[in-house]
Amino acid sequence: MSVDPGTLVRTLVGVAVLIAVTTAVLLAARTPVPWAPALAVLRGTVQLAALSVVLTGIIRDPLWIGAALVVMLAVATTTAARRLGSLRTRLLPVVIAMVAGIGVALLIVFATGAIAFTPRYVLAIGGIVIGNAMTGATLSGRRFVELVDDRWDDVEGWLALGATPRQATADLVRRAVHAAMVPSTDQTRTTGLVTLPGAFVGAVFGGVSPLEAGRFQVVVLAAIITAGAIVSVVLTRLLAAVRTRPVTPR
């Protein structure tokens, strides 16, 4: 189905106004890098346009779908690792945590038959879970590094008393995991009351019954929660053996 030119123009105008308002607010508040959200929307628009063209050819090909998921995972892990500081030192822990979380969540979804194991659903759920796992890795990793930096005197005190680096940061690991889980938990508990998930709305507008769309969305939300919990726990435990005061990432 083609998009009406008039509709496309109105869409671009609406997005441009939203970006302009966002940038103006951030400039007025003198926040660091006020142009970042605008550039993110621009980049996302270009990537979605390219993805729409690509998906037309690969949506039924398992090999191409597997390749697409690998690319998604590579970009997601790189993005999250950069948010935690040095890509060289943070990439491996992020990769391990995200592969573990995403792998377990998707394995459960398809092994139990909660969602049919078809190329279309693998791509849809895989992409959603990867994106949310990236957010979980960023939130938990950054929060852990910030906590260690803020509470470094306490960490040094524990180390001086003979605690291992992991023991010295055990409480901070728990705090970081809890903080990372708050957004996904709140989103899940308010679904249908405060938020209408895009997958649910898109499925209903596409002609799927609300009951079937709701079933799909519940599985997606549960997979996101599972992947997020595993990613946050694994990543923070991999980062827990801190021996020097970390530099808080920007």
Side-chain angles (χ1 to χ4, degrees), residues 8 31 47 56 63 65-66 68 71 75 92 148 159 210 213:
L8 181 59
T31 61
Q47 291 171 175
T56 302
L63 292 178
I65 286 177
V71 171
V75 174
L92 183 58
V148 173
L159 293 173

Side-chain angles (χ1 to χ4, degrees), residues 133-146:
M134 177 185 69
T135 301
T138 300
L139 290 175
S140 60
R142 285 179 67 90
R143 185 55 182 155
F144 174 74
V145 174
E146 291 169 354

Side-chain angles (χ1 to χ4, degrees), residues 19 109 176 197 238:
I19 292 175
V109 167
L238 290 174

Side-chain angles (χ1 to χ4, degrees), residues 36-50:
L39 294 175
V41 173
L42 178 60
R43 176 175 174 174
T45 300
V46 173
Q47 291 171 175
L48 281 175

Side-chain angles (χ1 to χ4, degrees), residues 48-73:
L48 281 175
L51 180 63
S52 299
V53 174
V54 172
L55 285 181
T56 302
I58 74 169
I59 192 67
R60 299 183 184 279
D61 191 325
L63 292 178
W64 280 110
I65 286 177
L69 290 174
V70 169
V71 171
M72 291 180 189
L73 180 61

Side-chain angles (χ1 to χ4, degrees), residues 143-227:
R143 185 55 182 155
F144 174 74
V145 174
E146 291 169 354
L147 284 169
V148 173
D149 185 30
D150 292 341
R151 303 281 296 275
W152 184 245
D153 289 343
D154 294 341
V155 174
E156 279 192 319
W158 280 109
L159 293 173
L161 291 173
T164 66
R166 292 186 183 278
Q167 290 173 332
T169 59
D171 182 59
L172 306 184
V173 165
R174 290 189 287 268
R175 291 172 180 266
V177 171
H178 173 73
M181 292 299 296
V182 167
S184 58
T185 302
D186 285 350
Q187 180 183 13
T188 301
R189 67 188 293 189
T190 59
T191 296
L193 295 176
V194 178
T195 61
L196 291 176
F200 174 82
V201 174
V204 172
F205 285 176
V208 177
S209 70
L211 182 61
E212 179 63 19
R215 184 185 72 84
F216 177 82
Q217 187 60 52
V218 167
V219 175
V220 169
L221 291 174
I224 289 172
I225 286 284
T226 300

